Amino acid sequence: MTGTTTRAEIETRVRAYLLSGPGLGMADDGIPGDHPLLDGVLDSLGIYSLVTFLENGFAVEVRDDELLPENFGSIDAITAFMAAKCA
């Protein structure tokens, strides 16, 4: 991805992945951006799969020291993190 990727595009792609990947069991519009993902929604395998999706889909590298709740704790957090990585 280039630096022209918008936050809205990132959020849309992350939501679509979460609904089709590990599956949240909710309607897309029913997932608030601040819904906690690390409290039973994503386990360690889900995080690994999400990171792989982000690295491949946005052509970025997620370092081990970036695997923090403040970067992956919610859709809003993931969107902000990826927007910064894609800038």
Side-chain angles (χ1 to χ4, degrees):
M1 264 316 121
T2 66
T4 61
T5 304
T6 68
R7 287 179 66 96
E9 291 168 330
I10 293 168
E11 181 177 350
T12 298
R13 291 178 64 189
V14 168
R15 282 181 181 277
Y17 172 78
L18 290 172
L19 290 168
S20 67
L24 295 175
M26 299 179 193
D28 184 25
D29 60 351
I31 306 169
D34 62 352
H35 182 82
L37 299 178
L38 302 178
D39 294 335
V41 176
L42 290 176
D43 59 12
S44 58
L45 183 57
I47 293 289
Y48 175 79
S49 297
L50 174 62
V51 168
T52 300
F53 163 76
L54 295 172
E55 288 181 331
N56 292 334
F58 294 98
V60 298
E61 179 184 353
V62 178
R63 299 183 320 266
D64 289 346
D65 65 334
E66 295 174 316
L67 295 173
L68 303 169
E70 44 276 7
N71 293 335
F72 290 92
S74 67
I75 292 173
D76 289 346
I78 296 166
T79 300
F81 174 66
M82 291 308 300
K85 295 285 281 183
C86 291

